[in-house]
């Protein structure tokens, strides 16, 4: 069996490829990698998926048997909590047992560097090539169990303006989607005037029959609950708590592109965080406009937070993130943090003293309107990759009657229109899927461009 790490760890179907034996082989390869670098300490966390704590114990046993000092989370924790602990407790690397937003059938093995962010491609490649090359060591079960969530909660509390949260009683709805962030927002705000109403906050390895992914189509209950309870905002987090979904006070899902723009403005204007900004190629043109007005250098990367994290490690970055709802803050760690993102949205609303929908209107008034949709098309075989390669060789000059002014090949093929709107074509490297991303200044243009883009398949 070949074990390959993707853009954010190794993920596989439980009881098919993700077994105790295969996890032990990966852990042994990881231990061999660290021993060569004179590593001595690892921290292990896990999400609430089926048997995650048992898989985590297997990893702990392998590292213990390889004479590492091992710290194991005493309970379910989020990926950013594990990443923070890896840095703060001076571990060489961290392991998170999670499949993030994948369906219940999957579990996975994520690796975090000593700096509290995603492992570099070099680390991953070295571990991959070692899998199965040495005998798995077992038998020692000495490790310390530590409450990683407490460390995490106390750190996040230091980032907020506490007086803002004690002005008047407000209601917030939190949907952790049966994932790692269960109960954490309530703990964060327990000493404030914010009343957190929780939904989907108990362990369910089936995630209520949904993907634990905080996107519009999965948040019907949250949208209804926000309206019913006349809440300030709705905050959703994915299975391992590193991504955020936002619902405004009228029950409308706030696109991840608008979420990025709002959090960027809050970070640099209200939090006064110094540094440049980093975004992936699939992220809003509003970011470019904000950076130009605020005189901030902007870095653009391929899709994937690992590229953003790499810039965090090399440059002073105030804020960075991607289209999928994963955002990182320069005052925190070089890692996506969904709970912190939600906390910052709440703080921003309280600071402005106006509904989230009005804050978005102000954003549009200052920087222009932006509407966004992404569609993941199932295609036959290599159709998606073939189309992308064809578009690279024969770029479009117009689409749906709109002239194209620029082509960007950073990741896939991105066509930028004269009005700054754009369409991006990217083929999945792991499944027969073509991802089409569209952002335009007019809502009607989004559907128009998307429908026209879909006709190019098989053409």
């Amino acid at each position: 069996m070949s074990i390959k790490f993707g853009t954010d760890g190794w993920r596989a179907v439980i009881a098919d490829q993700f077994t105790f034996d295969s996890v032990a082989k990966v852990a042994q390869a990881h231990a061999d990698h660290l021993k060569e670098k004179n590593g001595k300490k690892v921290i292990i966390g896990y999400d609430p998926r089926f048997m995650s704590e048992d898989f985590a114990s297997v990893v702990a046993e392998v590292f213990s048997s390889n004479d590492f000092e091992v710290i194991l989370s005493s309970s379910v924790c989020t990926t950013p909590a594990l990443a923070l602990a890896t840095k703060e407790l001076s571990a060489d690397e961290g392991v998170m047992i999670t499949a993030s937003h994948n369906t219940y059938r999957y579990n996975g093995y994520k690796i975090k560097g000593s700096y509290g962010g995603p492992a570099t491609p070099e680390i991953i490649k070295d571990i991959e090539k070692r899998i199965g090359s040495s005998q798995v060591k077992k038998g020692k079960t000495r490790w310390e169990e530590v409450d990683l969530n407490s460390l995490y909660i106390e750190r996040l509390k230091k980032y907020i303006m506490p007086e803002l949260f004690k002005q008047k009683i407000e209601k917030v709805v939190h949907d952790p989607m049966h994932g790692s962030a269960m109960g954490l927002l309530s703990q964060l705000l327990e000493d404030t005037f914010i009343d957190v109403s929780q939904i989907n906050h108990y362990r369910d390895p089936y995630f209520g029959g949904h993907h634990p992914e905080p996107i519009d189509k999965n948040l019907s209950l949250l949208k209804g609950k926000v309206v019913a309870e006349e809440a300030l905002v709705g905050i959703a987090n994915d299975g391992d708590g590193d991504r955020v979904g936002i619902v405004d006070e009228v029950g409308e899902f706030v696109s991840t592109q608008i979420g990025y723009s709002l959090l960027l403005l809050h970070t640099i204007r209200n939090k006064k965080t110094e540094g440049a900004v980093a975004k992936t190629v699939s992220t809003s043109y509003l970011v470019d406009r904000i950076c130009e007005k605020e005189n901030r250098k902007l870095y653009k990367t391929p899709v994937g937070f690992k590229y953003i994290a790499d810039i965090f490690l090399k440059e002073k970055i105030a804020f960075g993130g991607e289209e999928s709802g994963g955002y990182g803050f320069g005052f925190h760690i070089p890692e996506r943090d969904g709970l912190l993102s939600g906390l910052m949205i709440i703080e921003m609303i309280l600071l402005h003293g106006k509904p989230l929908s009005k804050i978005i209107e102000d954003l549009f008034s200052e920087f222009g309107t932006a509407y966004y949709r992404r569609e993941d098309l199932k295609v036959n075989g290599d159709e998606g990759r073939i189309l992308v390669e064809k578009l690279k060789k024969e770029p479009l000059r117009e689409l749906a009657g709109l002239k194209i002014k620029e082509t960007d090949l950073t990741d896939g093929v991105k066509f930028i229109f004269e009005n700054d709107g754009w369409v991006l074509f990217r083929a999945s490297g792991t499944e027969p899927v073509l991802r089409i991303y569209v952002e335009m200044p007019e809502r009607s243009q989004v559907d128009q461009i998307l429908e026209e883009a879909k006709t190019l398949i098989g053409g």
Side-chain angles (χ1 to χ4, degrees):
M1 179 183 69
S2 175
I3 294 174
K4 291 288 183 186
F5 280 67
T7 55
D8 194 18
W10 168 53
R11 298 178 198 178
V13 174
I14 300 167
D16 178 11
Q17 289 196 347
F18 203 88
T19 64
F20 289 137
D21 284 346
S22 60
V23 169
K25 284 180 183 177
V26 172
Q28 183 61 53
H30 193 180
D32 291 341
H33 154 80
L34 280 175
K35 280 191 285 189
E36 192 167 283
K37 299 196 303 182
N38 295 315
K40 294 178 173 58
K41 182 178 181 181
V42 294
I43 298 185
I44 303 160
Y46 55 91
D47 72 7
R49 287 172 180 272
F50 181 64
M51 296 184 75
S52 280
E53 60 269 59
D54 299 295
F55 289 116
S57 293
V58 168
V59 176
E61 181 179 350
V62 170
F63 274 101
S64 176
S65 301
N66 280 275
D67 298 321
F68 279 81
E69 178 187 351
V70 177
I71 292 178
L72 177 64
S73 179
S74 59
S75 65
V76 164
C77 69
T78 67
T79 289
L82 180 277
L84 177 69
T86 302
K87 180 182 180 182
E88 293 301 303
L89 300 181
S90 302
D92 294 290
E93 280 168 17
V95 176
M96 181 70 185
I97 299 298
T98 181
S100 187
H101 60 279
N102 281 44
T103 64
Y104 69 88
R105 299 172 66 240
Y106 287 80
N107 215 323
Y109 189 109
K110 280 187 182 182
I111 300 171
K112 299 300 166 184
S114 58
Y115 40 82
T120 63
E122 291 73 28
I123 291 172
I124 298 301
K125 280 180 189 173
D126 186 62
I127 293 169
E128 263 187 348
K129 75 180 183 183
R130 295 174 184 271
I131 295 172
S133 63
S134 64
Q135 186 71 30
V136 174
K137 294 182 180 178
K138 288 186 176 181
K140 291 185 182 178
T141 55
R142 292 180 308 192
W143 55 78
E144 180 185 2
E145 293 196 4
V146 173
D147 182 0
L148 304 187
N149 286 328
S150 292
L151 173 70
Y152 175 62
I153 292 296
E154 289 310 307
R155 174 55 62 86
L156 262 54
K157 283 181 178 179
K158 293 179 180 178
Y159 297 141
I160 62 173
M161 308 173 199
E163 64 279 5
L164 271 179
F165 292 77
K166 296 180 180 179
Q167 299 299 317
K168 65 175 184 174
I169 296 174
E170 296 281 8
K171 176 71 69 74
V172 168
V173 184
H174 185 217
D175 181 2
M177 307 187 83
H178 303 287
S180 293
M182 293 181 293
L184 297 187
L185 189 61
S186 296
Q187 290 181 48
L188 264 169
L189 300 176
E190 62 186 357
D191 296 325
T192 72
F193 290 178
I194 306 300
D195 177 13
V196 179
S197 176
Q198 302 178 83
I199 60 174
N200 299 322
H201 62 289
Y202 55 91
R203 186 172 186 176
D204 176 4
Y206 289 100
F207 299 106
H210 300 286
H211 279 57
E213 183 176 17
I215 57 178
D216 193 8
K217 68 178 183 179
N218 295 335
L219 299 179
S220 298
L221 180 58
L222 178 61
K223 291 189 282 188
K225 195 75 169 172
V226 167
V227 174
E229 300 208 8
E230 299 182 346
L232 198 68
V233 68
I235 301 297
N237 296 117
D238 69 331
D240 66 333
D242 62 3
R243 288 163 53 179
V244 70
I246 305 161
V247 172
D248 72 13
E249 80 285 352
V250 295
E252 289 290 321
F253 178 75
V254 177
S255 89
T256 51
Q257 307 283 21
I258 302 305
Y260 183 115
S261 302
L262 294 172
L263 286 167
L264 170 59
L265 282 172
H266 184 58
T267 301
I268 62 180
R269 284 184 175 174
N270 302 329
K271 307 294 282 186
K272 309 294 184 187
T273 307
E274 295 295 324
V277 177
K279 76 165 196 174
T280 61
V281 69
S282 60
T283 305
S284 178
Y285 55 71
L286 293 179
V287 177
D288 301 65
R289 296 175 183 178
I290 292 169
C291 288
E292 184 176 358
K293 185 167 186 177
E294 297 294 321
N295 195 29
R296 299 287 180 123
K297 185 175 182 179
L298 176 60
Y299 292 91
K300 298 180 186 179
T301 76
V303 174
F305 193 81
K306 65 181 180 180
Y307 299 108
I308 301 290
D310 188 51
I311 297 175
F312 266 94
L313 296 176
K314 295 174 180 175
E315 308 288 342
K316 185 172 179 58
I317 301 294
F319 185 79
E322 55 182 351
E323 164 271 341
S324 65
Y327 313 116
F329 300 82
F331 55 78
H332 189 36
I333 51 176
E335 179 62 276
R336 296 176 294 189
D337 196 321
L339 199 67
L340 177 58
S341 297
L343 191 64
M344 290 295 102
I345 287 290
I346 297 168
E347 181 179 74
M348 180 195 68
I349 296 170
L350 295 173
L351 185 64
H352 283 261
K354 60 176 72 174
L356 182 54
S357 62
K358 298 299 181 187
I359 297 173
I360 294 171
E361 285 180 14
D362 292 345
L363 171 73
F364 284 175
S365 177
E366 185 175 0
F367 296 102
T369 54
Y371 300 95
Y372 170 77
R373 256 186 77 193
R374 166 181 154 182
E375 193 159 328
D376 292 356
L377 285 181
K378 291 230 169 124
V379 294
N380 295 320
D382 281 345
E383 272 187 341
R385 184 187 56 77
I386 291 168
L387 175 62
V388 170
E389 291 305 315
K390 179 183 177 183
L391 291 174
K392 284 181 180 179
K393 293 173 184 173
E394 303 170 19
L396 299 176
R397 294 184 178 181
E398 66 170 29
L399 188 66
L402 293 173
K403 288 185 179 178
I404 292 165
K405 69 174 181 179
E406 186 183 339
T407 301
D408 186 338
L409 302 181
T410 301
D411 191 348
V413 183
K414 181 178 183 179
F415 296 114
I416 303 168
F417 302 103
E418 291 181 330
N419 62 4
D420 284 347
W422 53 272
V423 56
L424 170 65
F425 297 85
R426 288 181 64 247
S428 169
T430 57
E431 54 186 337
V433 168
L434 175 70
R435 307 192 200 285
I436 305 177
Y437 312 69
V438 180
E439 184 183 41
M440 299 295 290
E442 301 293 334
R443 198 187 298 269
S444 60
Q445 291 176 320
V446 175
D447 292 335
Q448 186 182 2
I449 294 293
L450 193 55
E451 291 309 309
E452 189 82 13
K454 288 194 285 188
T455 66
L456 298 175
I457 285 288

